[in-house]
Amino acid sequence: MTAQTLPPDASVNDAPEKVMTRWLWLVGVVVLTAGILFGYDQGVISGALTGIKRSFNLTTLMVEIVTSWVTLGAMVGSLVAGTIADRFGRRATVLVAAALFISGALVEGFAPGTTVLIIGRLVVGSGVGVASVAAPLLASEMAPTRLRGRFISTYQFGITFGIFVAYLVDELLASGEWRLMLGLASFAGVVLVLLTLPLSDTPRWYLKVGRRADAEHSLQRVTRDNATAAIAELEARLDEDTATASWKEILAPRWRRPLVIGIGLAVFQQITGINAIIYYADKIFAAAGFSSVAGQTAATTWAIGAVNVLATLIAIAFVDRLGRKPLLLAGLVGMGVSLTVVGFAFLSLDHVTRTSSTAANAGSKGPSDAGIITLVALVVYIASFAFSLGPVVWTMINEIYPRQVRGRGVALATAANWFSAWLVSQFFLSIVKRLGEPVTFWIFALLCGVCFVWIRLKVPETKGRTLEEIETMWADESST
Ligand code: BGC
């Protein structure tokens, strides 16, 4: 659990030339593919649920478990990934994630009953968790400094693209073909293995384990600069860098602010509702009056999936120009307002359903005005998330921790993210059942408001600062 990223100022592969060598492209494609698999495994369940429910006759609790235990697996996966990455290398860790993706998807696809299906979900989930630490780590250690942000954003882009592809697959296949929907991820896992095998590990990891020649060779593949000089510099830094803090130390008062901020951002990213929408989109659209399954899946694919991908590009374009805080704050306003509107739309839907309950088949006419308003509001919500909390939270988690605590800080924040994702997806349907859709969406909206105030007051801007400057900033309490 001590995985560390390259120091920010390491000039390793920091060549000023057109830096994208063939190997760097390959690293980019590996990171993208890992993101796509992560997204696919998260998104595919939305369209598969109806078929699974029919095959296994599931209660609401079991539907929630089948949906959400991917995130529990991911929590465990993210906690152990750092240790695997330090001991066996970053490349090997990506291969472990791929192996978990492949085996989990096959178990899901051939599951004879609910228990095996849930085991498959846990295995796939641990792959998602391992990938969520390994891919950004590989990206940040291989990428030239100037392109590091873009490499990490590529990962988030992969996630959203994977969710979109999952929705498309859900739309193309009938819900009865849920085994194929879930099992298909194993092919993508095989592609990830094939792409990763020719890669070498990162220069930094080779140096850490004393394989200097391999480090130099690896560096030569990604830069045309003087690899020997860069390696010497990196080696010097490594000495300062190997003093990794213990778990106890990470809780020391001097690291408390970045720890709280990282975990806070990770938790808020989830408790403002994103995965309730991603996982249960079809069900939300059904409740909003999209009575045909085709209508529900089309709304999910395009209004949620495609918008999520496109709006992520906004973040990639502006995160380094406008800064993290403006994007986060603007996104939270959009998310809060749209969730409030969704709540009101459901309130009026409830009213219409009650008052027209005597009219036969009131719900079978297709989306009402309130249904259309829900659709539009959810588009605004997803777009607002995708240019703010989606990519910016991962970016900040990977840049706010001082070197000594980075590996553990990132692991803790990532695990907190998955735990909160689990909480939301596990209890969303039950909360809706108990409190109704309007109150549930208003709770998410309220949490957007709380997050807005907290970020405004407590979270510093990190744009344009080196990691050293960020480290110094924590020491100076008055800097926010
Ligand atoms: C979140 C995921 C979410 C995805 C949606 C990511 O940043 O961590 O939980 O499903 O964005 O695009």
Side-chain angles (χ1 to χ4, degrees):
M1 281 166 261
T2 56
Q4 296 179 350
T5 51
L6 265 177
D9 53 348
S11 60
V12 58
N13 45 351
D14 199 13
E17 80 276 19
K18 284 147 219 77
V19 269
M20 289 301 289
T21 64
R22 199 159 51 90
W23 287 103
L24 269 180
W25 278 107
L26 188 56
V27 172
V29 174
V30 164
V31 170
L32 186 72
T33 311
I36 290 174
L37 259 166
F38 169 153
Y40 184 87
D41 281 315
Q42 272 202 299
V44 74
I45 196 67
S46 167
L49 273 181
T50 315
I52 296 173
K53 229 175 136 177
R54 218 176 291 139
S55 297
F56 297 146
N57 212 354
L58 301 182
T59 59
T60 300
L61 178 70
M62 289 314 278
V63 170
E64 286 171 329
I65 288 178
V66 166
T67 305
S68 71
W69 280 28
V70 157
T71 52
L72 275 191
M75 191 177 77
V76 178
S78 62
L79 277 174
V80 296
T83 310
I84 305 175
D86 274 352
R87 191 156 306 169
F88 302 104
R90 285 59 170 130
R91 171 180 170 275
T93 314
V94 173
L95 289 173
V96 168
L100 290 166
F101 282 136
I102 295 168
S103 46
L106 289 176
V107 171
E108 285 179 337
F110 290 107
T114 327
T115 313
V116 177
L117 180 63
I118 291 170
I119 292 172
R121 301 287 291 155
L122 278 171
V123 176
V124 159
S126 48
V128 169
V130 172
S132 68
V133 172
L137 192 59
L138 184 79
S140 63
E141 291 194 350
M142 282 295 219
T145 310
R146 285 184 307 124
L147 296 183
R148 186 147 62 220
R150 214 171 281 173
F151 265 66
I152 298 179
S153 309
T154 301
Y155 182 59
Q156 172 70 18
F157 182 76
I159 297 175
T160 58
F161 191 70
I163 294 172
F164 175 61
V165 171
Y167 285 168
L168 269 185
V169 168
D170 287 353
E171 204 179 334
L172 290 176
L173 298 176
S175 65
E177 291 172 283
W178 62 266
R179 289 178 188 281
L180 190 56
M181 293 176 189
L182 299 177
L184 269 178
S186 56
F187 289 108
V190 172
V191 172
L192 183 59
V193 171
L194 294 178
L195 287 168
T196 309
L197 279 178
L199 274 189
S200 20
D201 215 299
T202 69
R204 189 177 193 295
W205 182 76
Y206 283 131
L207 281 184
K208 245 184 128 145
V209 294
R211 291 166 59 178
R212 197 175 195 286
D214 287 330
E216 211 164 301
H217 186 60
S218 164
L219 196 55
Q220 260 152 7
R221 286 175 143 183
V222 293
T223 180
R224 297 192 178 89
D225 238 11
N226 182 346
T228 317
I231 286 285
E233 190 173 329
L234 187 56
E235 250 175 339
R237 291 192 177 283
L238 203 66
D239 288 340
E240 305 166 18
D241 211 41
T242 38
T244 303
S246 66
W247 281 106
K248 198 167 152 222
E249 245 178 290
I250 195 180
L251 301 173
R254 65 189 175 131
W255 306 132
R256 202 150 293 159
R257 282 201 64 212
L259 192 68
V260 168
I261 288 175
I263 292 179
L265 285 171
V267 170
F268 272 121
Q269 190 203 49
Q270 294 300 326
I271 61 174
T272 43
I274 182 61
N275 283 321
I277 314 285
I278 297 282
Y279 292 156
Y280 296 112
D282 282 8
K283 279 179 168 292
I284 296 170
F285 286 124
F290 289 73
S291 48
S292 75
V293 174
Q296 291 156 22
T297 42
T300 300
T301 307
W302 299 103
I304 308 291
V307 170
N308 197 14
V309 177
L310 293 178
T312 303
L313 295 174
I314 302 178
I316 293 175
F318 290 107
V319 68
D320 287 322
R321 265 189 265 172
L322 296 180
R324 284 58 164 150
K325 265 180 100 165
L327 286 186
L328 286 174
L329 295 175
L332 280 162
V333 171
M335 288 164 66
V337 170
S338 54
L339 285 167
T340 310
V341 171
V342 172
F344 278 111
F346 270 102
L347 197 65
S348 77
L349 271 171
D350 283 354
H351 180 69
V352 170
T353 314
R354 263 197 304 278
T355 52
S356 61
S357 57
T358 46
N361 279 338
S364 65
K365 287 180 293 194
S368 57
D369 288 351
I372 299 294
I373 291 172
T374 304
L375 179 81
V376 173
L378 284 182
V379 167
V380 174
Y381 172 84
I382 282 291
S384 306
F385 174 88
F387 75 71
S388 64
L389 261 70
V392 177
V393 165
W394 288 118
T395 305
M396 291 192 76
I397 284 176
N398 278 284
E399 67 188 3
I400 59 171
Y401 291 107
R403 238 176 300 157
Q404 301 94 310
V405 292
R406 187 167 306 140
R408 290 180 178 192
V410 171
L412 269 184
T414 307
N417 182 273
W418 287 116
F419 180 71
S420 327
W422 170 74
L423 271 186
V424 173
S425 48
Q426 175 69 56
F427 296 111
F428 176 67
L429 291 185
S430 306
I431 295 173
V432 166
K433 232 177 175 178
R434 182 163 284 217
L435 302 178
E437 282 95 349
V439 175
T440 309
F441 285 112
W442 288 334
I443 292 174
F444 286 141
L446 184 71
L447 289 167
C448 289
V450 176
C451 182
F452 182 95
V453 174
W454 177 72
I455 288 180
R456 195 94 224 252
L457 299 178
K458 298 284 180 198
V459 176
E461 179 56 75
T462 50
K463 174 193 89 165
R465 298 185 196 216
T466 67
L467 298 197
E468 273 62 34
E469 283 164 351
I470 296 173
E471 257 179 75
T472 325
M473 184 180 73
W474 300 127
D476 174 12
E477 281 291 331
S478 60
S479 63
T480 55

